[in-house]
């Protein structure tokens, strides 16, 4: 299967464009064929016409919608449904993956979210196929799964740092496409978000981590090593977009220099994905009269 750029993704079916958005987020942010990562404005707000204050208002309003849709998904899972959502978050250090988890997923019931962060494989994981730990972390029906980094590290850091030979990683793009196709076919809507921070903004965020003692815990000296290989990482990210943005699992490229926009955009992408499922409250066969009578009979 080849990457395509039409707008028949699993997100957004039957939705209307919400206030502030001139184009639905899944259209404005989707990486179609020929998408040029180097040419994108990382302070941009594609599809959204408002400023920061309007963005915050829009996010709060859509947060309520997101919360209700997530509850419907959870109810669907509790009553035998097979649908789920997987949000894959990728981005360079400081791109704001943690902030998205805190501010976007923080708006929904934590019971319905399964979050997994992927660091370097443990010796046990390294002995397995790289997709094994990913497969084991896929969301159960009714859940929103969130991957903070993912199997894409196996064609990003692994490629840039030569952790395995090229002959080994070059086949992984097609393997990942086939894997995600299989995940989608089992009922999971896959929403892949590339948070894209600029080189200048990354420096400012790293500097802030160094200059503010309460941020020291976030600082990792290895982040500078990765920054030194910025161009190689950009090339590897571009290859990911070229090879793995498919109808079944499209990539959305989110400019991340403005944190408020990145968080609003991910909120919107999740709302659109959940709306696309078209779920309603499950019909539960309950004899309400009888149950009310039983409840009344418990009165003291
Ligand atoms: P983050 O940098 O995401 O905020 P962190 O600093 O807490 O997280 P960890 O969660 O321990 O660090 O790990 C993140 C690191 O793990 C990243 O540098 C990433 O490149 C690396 N990593 C993730 N997956 C792999 C992989 N498959 N192979 C090698 N390294 C990986």
């Amino acid at each position: 299967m080849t990457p395509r750029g039409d707008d028949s993704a699993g997100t957004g079916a039957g939705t209307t464009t919400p206030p502030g958005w001139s184009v639905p987020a899944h259209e404005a942010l989707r990486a179609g064929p020929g998408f040029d990562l180097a040419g994108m404005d990382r302070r941009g707000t594609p599809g959204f016409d408002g400023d920061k204050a309007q963005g915050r208002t829009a996010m709060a309003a859509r947060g309520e919608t997101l919360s209700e849709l997530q509850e419907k998904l959870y109810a669907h899972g509790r009553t035998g449904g097979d649908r789920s959502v997987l949000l894959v978050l990728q981005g360079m250090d400081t791109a704001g993956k943690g902030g998205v988890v805190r501010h976007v997923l923080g708006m929904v019931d934590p019971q319905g979210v399964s979050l997994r962060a992927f660091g370097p494989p443990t010796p046990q994981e390294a002995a397995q196929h790289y997709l094994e730990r990913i497969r084991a972390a896929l969301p159960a029906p009714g859940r929103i799964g969130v991957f903070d980094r993912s199997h894409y590290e196996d064609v990003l850091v692994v490629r840039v740092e030569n952790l395995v030979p090229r002959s080994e990683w070059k086949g992984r793009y097609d393997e990942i496409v086939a894997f995600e196709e299989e995940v989608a076919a089992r009922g999971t809507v896959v929403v892949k978000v590339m948070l894209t921070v600029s080189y200048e903004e990354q420096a400012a965020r790293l500097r802030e981590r160094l200059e503010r003692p309460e941020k020291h815990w976030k600082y990792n000296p290895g982040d500078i090593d990765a920054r030194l290989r910025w161009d190689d990482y950009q090339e590897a990210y571009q290859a990911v977009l070229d090879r793995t943005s498919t109808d079944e699992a499209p990539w959305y490229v989110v400019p991340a220099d403005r944190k408020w926009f990145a968080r609003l955009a991910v909120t919107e992408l999740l709302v659109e994905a959940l709306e696309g499922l078209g779920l309603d409250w499950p019909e539960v066969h309950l004899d309400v009269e009888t149950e009310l009578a039983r409840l009344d009979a418990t009165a003291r």
Side-chain angles (χ1 to χ4, degrees), residues 14-143:
T15 59
T16 50
T17 310
W21 290 86
S22 52
V23 181
H26 72 275
E27 282 178 32
L29 300 166
R30 176 156 180 188
F35 182 90
D36 176 25
L37 191 57
M40 86 175 282
D41 174 9
R42 297 172 186 208
R43 275 187 71 75
T45 63
F48 187 73
D49 297 330
D51 59 14
K52 183 173 179 175
Q54 289 162 322
R56 291 228 162 117
T57 306
M59 178 145 160
R62 293 301 264 176
E64 287 181 25
T65 307
L66 180 63
S67 177
E68 185 179 322
L69 287 165
Q70 181 267 331
E71 197 179 337
K72 278 186 182 155
L73 176 64
Y74 191 74
H76 165 86
R78 289 292 297 261
T79 51
D82 64 352
R83 308 309 305 270
S84 60
V85 172
L86 174 63
L87 175 66
V88 173
L89 294 173
Q90 280 293 156
M92 297 291 285
D93 298 311
T94 77
K97 300 185 296 296
V100 163
V101 172
R102 197 163 57 251
H103 292 273
V104 179
L105 281 310
M107 296 191 292
V108 307
D109 185 342
Q111 286 186 95
V113 177
S114 54
L115 170 67
R116 173 74 200 268
F118 289 99
T122 62
Q124 197 190 0
E125 287 169 342
Q128 301 168 336
H129 188 271
Y130 69 98
L131 289 175
E132 274 314 298
R133 65 177 185 159
I134 304 297
R135 218 180 268 282
L138 289 171
R143 298 294 173 98

Side-chain angles (χ1 to χ4, degrees), residues 294-300:
R294 291 182 64 222
L295 176 62
D296 289 344
T298 63
R300 287 186 176 166

Side-chain angles (χ1 to χ4, degrees), residues 93 97 118-121 133 148-150 153-154 157-158 163 220:
D93 298 311
K97 300 185 296 296
F118 289 99
R133 65 177 185 159
D148 176 348
R149 302 185 186 271
S150 66
E153 293 295 331
D154 292 285
V157 66
V158 165
L163 301 182
N220 174 356

